[in-house]
Amino acid sequence: MELILAKIAVSIGTVLGLSMLAERAGPRVAGVLSGYPLGTAILLYFIAVEQGVAFASESAVYALPGLIATLTFLYAYFIVSRQCVRLPVFPQILLSSLGAFVTYLSVSWLFQLAPMSLTQAAVILLVAIVVALILFRKIENVRILNRVRLTKRVVLLRASLAAIIVLVISGMAAWIGPRWAGLLSGFPVTLYPMMLILHFTYGAEPVHTVIRNFPRGMGALWVYILAVTLGYPVLGLGLGTLCAFGAATVYLVGYTTFVWVRQKSVQAAQ
């Protein structure tokens, strides 16, 4: 029971934080920061607690192709929601989610068929990130102009949605084996609820902006999963998780600093 409450508390806090960030800093920033290993870290950590460090390390290898399935999930959501723009918002969300889930499960099923080493998985994901950056760059960046006040009802909706998704995914991952558990740990546990909230509240365009910028922060996920795979068997769960977060943070800070310096250079040249 304590473990279930811990899952709920961690997931709710993360989703609410991302949602508020999207409203205040804009979906572009939220999209980049969604690449930080939040949902994946939550699932891999609790998989290790429930199934052991060795199980989680093996699962982490398949979390890398699981992130490729996540990229296809996001792109499918974008394509379907763009085609359904004339429908009311609820059918838009329903059809977009259905298309995204079908795509995600199909890609995950294909990856679980083949044995994969850490090196192979890492290289394949890097290629997928580059392809996604090229593919997603045509999506327009928009800002949220009219913010919705965070009433108790809105907070309760977000919290309930986060709790349900995390409990379902982590519950499934506990009994389907390390390969499928790893693939499912790549599911956008914290990003997807934020997308639904943004879509329902503001429409599809801010969600598209989040999708566009998500691959830009995925290097942090790549670094985190590699660190978990290599670090858990040596350092254990607590220290291994801490070091993995440290490595991911160094990457994300370095990336954002590089982008900031480049923007300043472009502005100065103009």
Side-chain angles (χ1 to χ4, degrees):
M1 186 62 181
E2 292 181 358
L3 188 58
I4 292 176
L5 292 176
K7 292 179 184 180
I8 293 173
V10 172
S11 304
I12 287 173
T14 303
V15 172
L16 294 182
L18 276 176
S19 298
M20 289 185 287
L21 177 64
E23 291 178 344
R24 286 160 176 75
R28 181 175 182 176
V29 174
V32 174
L33 293 182
S34 293
Y36 196 67
L38 299 172
T40 300
I42 291 169
L43 285 171
L44 287 177
Y45 180 85
F46 285 117
I47 286 172
V49 170
E50 294 177 315
Q51 304 297 321
V53 168
F55 187 100
S57 298
E58 186 178 352
S59 296
V61 174
Y62 279 85
L64 292 165
L67 293 174
I68 300 176
T70 292
L71 288 172
T72 63
F73 175 95
L74 296 176
Y75 195 63
Y77 194 101
F78 164 70
I79 292 296
V80 176
S81 62
R82 188 177 61 175
Q83 297 299 319
C84 299
V85 68
R86 295 184 179 181
L87 296 176
V89 66
F90 185 75
Q92 279 186 39
I93 293 174
L94 186 62
L95 291 174
S96 300
S97 297
L98 179 61
F101 273 105
V102 169
T103 303
Y104 177 84
L105 292 175
S106 299
V107 173
S108 297
W109 180 78
L110 289 174
F111 276 120
Q112 64 85 30
L113 293 176
M116 191 173 297
S117 68
L118 178 61
T119 302
Q120 290 172 329
V123 170
I124 291 173
L125 178 57
L126 280 179
V127 173
I129 292 173
V130 173
V131 172
L133 286 170
I134 296 172
L135 197 61
F136 291 8
R137 66 181 179 181
K138 296 181 180 179
I139 302 175
E140 183 181 358
N141 279 318
V142 300
R143 292 190 63 85
I144 297 173
L145 300 178
N146 299 313
R147 298 174 185 170
V148 172
R149 189 166 60 92
L150 289 176
T151 63
K152 291 182 179 180
R153 184 177 180 181
V154 173
V155 171
L156 179 61
L157 173 64
R158 296 178 180 184
S160 300
L161 187 60
I164 290 171
I165 292 177
V166 169
L167 288 176
V168 169
I169 297 296
S170 62
M172 290 175 59
W175 55 267
I176 55 180
R179 190 173 292 189
W180 264 109
L183 288 165
L184 289 179
S185 71
F187 182 81
V189 170
T190 56
L191 176 61
Y192 177 58
M194 185 186 73
M195 289 167 55
L196 296 184
I197 293 162
L198 290 175
H199 197 156
F200 183 78
T201 308
Y202 304 106
E205 288 77 11
V207 179
H208 295 170
T209 299
V210 170
I211 291 172
R212 181 189 194 275
N213 291 280
F214 179 78
R216 300 171 186 267
M218 280 191 71
L221 274 165
W222 186 83
V223 170
Y224 182 89
I225 294 173
L226 285 180
V228 163
T229 306
L230 299 173
Y232 270 8
V234 178
L235 302 174
L237 178 57
L239 186 57
T241 299
L242 184 63
C243 289
F245 266 117
T249 302
V250 168
Y251 167 84
L252 198 58
V253 170
Y255 173 79
T256 52
T257 302
F258 169 77
V259 171
W260 181 82
V261 171
R262 188 178 65 176
Q263 289 177 343
K264 290 295 183 181
S265 300
V266 171
Q267 292 173 359
Q270 294 175 345

